[in-house]
Amino acid sequence: NGGLVSTMTYDGAPIGPIELQELKDKLVLAGIDVPDISAEGFLFGAENNDPVLRVYGGLSLDLLILSLDLQGVIVPATKSLGASAMIRVQL
Protein backbone atom coordinates (compact mmCIF):
# COMPACT_ATOMS: atom_id res chain seq x y z
CA ASN A 1 0.00 0.00 0.00
CA GLY A 2 1.10 3.54 -0.56
CA GLY A 3 -0.22 7.01 -0.96
CA LEU A 4 0.40 10.69 -1.24
CA VAL A 5 -0.40 13.49 1.19
CA SER A 6 -0.56 16.86 -0.49
CA THR A 7 -2.58 20.02 -0.91
CA MET A 8 -4.69 19.23 -3.94
CA THR A 9 -5.85 21.95 -6.31
CA TYR A 10 -8.31 21.97 -9.20
CA ASP A 11 -7.84 24.69 -11.83
CA GLY A 12 -5.46 26.50 -9.43
CA ALA A 13 -7.85 26.61 -6.44
CA PRO A 14 -7.94 24.29 -3.43
CA ILE A 15 -10.11 21.29 -4.19
CA GLY A 16 -13.55 21.07 -2.63
CA PRO A 17 -16.17 18.31 -2.46
CA ILE A 18 -17.74 19.24 -5.82
CA GLU A 19 -14.40 19.26 -7.68
CA LEU A 20 -13.39 16.04 -5.96
CA GLN A 21 -16.55 14.32 -7.16
CA GLU A 22 -15.96 15.65 -10.70
CA LEU A 23 -12.46 14.17 -10.61
CA LYS A 24 -13.80 10.80 -9.45
CA ASP A 25 -16.48 10.84 -12.17
CA LYS A 26 -13.85 11.55 -14.86
CA LEU A 27 -11.72 8.64 -13.61
CA VAL A 28 -14.74 6.31 -13.79
CA LEU A 29 -15.59 7.50 -17.32
CA ALA A 30 -11.98 6.82 -18.37
CA GLY A 31 -12.28 3.25 -17.04
CA ILE A 32 -9.75 3.85 -14.25
CA ASP A 33 -10.24 2.34 -10.80
CA VAL A 34 -10.91 5.24 -8.43
CA PRO A 35 -8.38 5.29 -5.57
CA ASP A 36 -9.26 6.25 -2.01
CA ILE A 37 -8.97 9.99 -2.66
CA SER A 38 -9.73 13.05 -0.55
CA ALA A 39 -8.74 16.73 -0.48
CA GLU A 40 -5.65 15.76 1.55
CA GLY A 41 -4.30 13.21 -0.96
CA PHE A 42 -4.94 9.64 -2.00
CA LEU A 43 -4.14 6.06 -1.08
CA PHE A 44 -3.59 3.13 -3.40
CA GLY A 45 -2.76 -0.52 -3.00
CA ALA A 46 -1.78 -3.54 -5.00
CA GLU A 47 -1.96 -7.22 -4.28
CA ASN A 48 -0.58 -10.17 -6.14
CA ASN A 49 -1.28 -13.73 -5.04
CA ASP A 50 0.61 -15.43 -7.88
CA PRO A 51 3.29 -17.85 -6.72
CA VAL A 52 6.82 -16.47 -6.99
CA LEU A 53 9.83 -18.63 -7.72
CA ARG A 54 12.95 -17.85 -5.70
CA VAL A 55 16.23 -19.60 -6.42
CA TYR A 56 18.66 -19.93 -3.51
CA GLY A 57 22.29 -21.00 -3.56
CA GLY A 58 24.98 -21.08 -0.96
CA LEU A 59 28.45 -22.11 0.04
CA SER A 60 29.96 -22.94 3.41
CA LEU A 61 33.70 -23.01 3.96
CA ASP A 62 35.24 -24.36 7.19
CA LEU A 63 38.81 -23.31 8.06
CA LEU A 64 39.97 -24.68 11.41
CA ILE A 65 37.73 -22.76 13.86
CA LEU A 66 36.29 -20.27 11.33
CA SER A 67 33.23 -20.93 9.20
CA LEU A 68 32.34 -18.71 6.27
CA ASP A 69 28.78 -18.94 4.93
CA LEU A 70 27.74 -17.23 1.70
CA GLN A 71 24.20 -17.20 0.34
CA GLY A 72 22.59 -15.73 -2.77
CA VAL A 73 19.02 -15.50 -4.01
CA ILE A 74 17.38 -14.42 -7.27
CA VAL A 75 13.73 -13.91 -8.17
CA PRO A 76 13.64 -14.57 -11.94
CA ALA A 77 10.27 -12.85 -12.48
CA THR A 78 11.48 -9.49 -11.13
CA LYS A 79 15.23 -10.04 -11.52
CA SER A 80 15.65 -9.13 -7.83
CA LEU A 81 18.94 -10.20 -6.29
CA GLY A 82 20.00 -10.70 -2.68
CA ALA A 83 23.08 -11.92 -0.88
CA SER A 84 24.33 -12.51 2.63
CA ALA A 85 27.62 -13.47 4.24
CA MET A 86 28.40 -14.69 7.73
CA ILE A 87 31.62 -15.54 9.56
CA ARG A 88 31.42 -17.75 12.65
CA VAL A 89 33.95 -18.89 15.20
CA GLN A 90 33.30 -22.52 16.20
CA LEU A 91 35.26 -24.07 19.04
Side-chain angles (χ1 to χ4, degrees), residues 21-43:
Q21 189 58 48
E22 287 178 12
L23 179 61
K24 289 179 180 180
D25 293 342
K26 288 180 182 180
L27 289 171
V28 170
L29 287 174
I32 299 171
D33 290 333
V34 179
D36 183 9
I37 189 169
S38 70
E40 289 81 36
F42 62 89
L43 296 174

Side-chain angles (χ1 to χ4, degrees), residues 6 8-9 12 17 24-26 40 43-45 52 60-61 64 68 73 76-77 84 87:
S6 167
M8 295 181 66
T9 60
K24 289 179 180 180
D25 293 342
K26 288 180 182 180
E40 289 81 36
L43 296 174
F44 58 89
V52 176
S60 183
L61 183 62
L64 298 175
L68 173 63
V73 62
S84 65
I87 297 176

